[in-house]
Amino acid sequence: QVRLEESGGGSVQAGGSLRLACAASGFTYTMAWFRQVPGKEREGVAAISSVSSRVDYTDSVKGRFTISQDNAKTTLYLQMNSLKPEDTAMYYCAADSKVRARSMMLVPNDYDYWGQGTQVTVSS
């Protein structure tokens, strides 16, 4: 079992920045960030392959968010710039023991491991 621990969430004014981190207790082939707000389904934000380093982002964060990993591929980061109120959500770190197709990297179904979540609140 791989444990995921998120950190870095908080409250920020619109236009500000936050950097989320997720520490994994072991190597996984895919890591990703998801977010969820009340009344909506969990949304894939950004994902990265630990093998190929390919990345994917949901359209609403492209150009503002950057996903990355440390060299050991056990720590995941999400640099969030130019934050908007609509970015407010609970952000979850996820990891998978398999290589996922690019079209599935931002789909929450069947990810093997999930963190507890960290709240991001952006005020207008």
Side-chain angles (χ1 to χ4, degrees):
Q1 188 79 6
V2 174
R3 296 178 181 178
L4 306 176
E5 298 284 347
E6 301 108 328
S7 61
S11 298
V12 65
Q13 292 288 114
S17 298
L18 285 172
R19 189 188 189 217
L20 306 183
C22 173
S25 62
F27 176 84
T28 57
Y29 282 94
T30 311
M31 298 189 76
W33 291 99
F34 291 81
R35 65 187 180 188
Q36 190 167 25
V37 298
K40 300 189 70 175
E41 295 183 1
R42 190 163 297 189
E43 175 192 25
V45 178
I48 187 167
S49 168
S50 300
V51 177
S52 69
S53 297
R54 71 189 182 202
V55 299
D56 198 15
Y57 299 92
T58 190
D59 287 343
S60 64
V61 309
K62 288 179 179 177
R64 300 188 298 121
F65 291 10
T66 302
I67 189 169
S68 62
Q69 291 177 297
D70 68 341
N71 290 334
K73 312 296 184 181
T74 53
T75 302
L76 181 72
Y77 301 97
L78 186 67
Q79 179 66 47
M80 304 186 293
N81 298 327
S82 301
L83 282 161
K84 303 174 181 180
E86 50 262 47
D87 295 318
T88 296
M90 184 72 73
Y91 283 71
Y92 297 92
C93 177
D96 205 309
S97 59
K98 60 185 176 292
V99 176
R100 297 174 73 92
R102 189 174 187 272
S103 63
M104 296 297 294
M105 291 179 73
L106 297 178
V107 177
N109 305 66
D110 301 319
Y111 265 87
D112 291 327
Y113 310 106
W114 292 88
Q116 295 296 310
T118 184
Q119 179 68 38
V120 171
T121 301
V122 184
S123 302
S124 60

